[in-house]
Amino acid sequence: MIDFGYTINKDRQIDFDNADRRIIEYVAKEESTISICLICGACTATCSAGNFTDFNIRKITNMIRVGEVENLREEIKKCMLCGKCQLVCPRGVNTRNIILKINEAIKLFH
Ligand code: SF4
Ligand code: SF4
């Protein structure tokens, strides 16, 4: 193969073989609407916590899908459970319950 000089940095890879899937599996079982999320970002755009911090609910749901769960406990604490994200979601995803279930999963597995 031709060596074009490009490499993939280890810290930019998603290692599905060693990903921690326990949180997404728990959340998907307890709040199945996570599976119909379009990843459109409307929830993030309206998020009260996101207006004042770097909290990003869309990013968090993506992170747990690929098993990136470091700092999740600290991140999730920024959510105020106000429910605005749920009001604007075009798919009716129960985002607030997803956050509650992520909290439960963290307590169970971390
Ligand atoms: S608004 Fe709903 S569909 Fe869009 S990213 Fe958020 S949870 Fe997913
Ligand atoms: S419930 Fe949490 S994620 Fe949803 S809008 Fe409020 S602060 Fe943001």
Side-chain angles (χ1 to χ4, degrees), residues 36-43 58 85 88-91 93 95:
I36 57 170
C37 171
L38 286 170
I39 318 181
C40 68
C43 50
R58 176 172 164 263
C85 50
V88 301
C89 176
R91 297 301 299 271
V93 176
T95 42

Side-chain angles (χ1 to χ4, degrees), residues 18-79:
N18 294 307
D20 184 348
R21 302 266 306 160
R22 291 175 298 179
I23 289 184
I24 186 62
E25 282 168 4
Y26 180 85
V27 174
K29 183 162 65 71
E30 298 288 324
E31 183 48 69
S32 61
T33 60
I34 195 170
S35 66
I36 57 170
C37 171
L38 286 170
I39 318 181
C40 68
C43 50
T44 300
T46 195
C47 176
S48 308
N51 283 334
F52 299 105
T53 70
D54 59 357
F55 182 69
N56 186 323
I57 178 61
R58 176 172 164 263
K59 185 175 168 192
I60 283 176
T61 52
N62 274 333
M63 282 167 60
I64 63 171
R65 280 191 181 95
V66 298
E68 288 184 16
V69 294
E70 298 84 20
N71 305 323
L72 194 55
R73 185 191 298 269
E74 290 309 308
E75 275 304 303
I76 212 77
K77 279 183 192 164
K78 296 174 187 170
C79 170

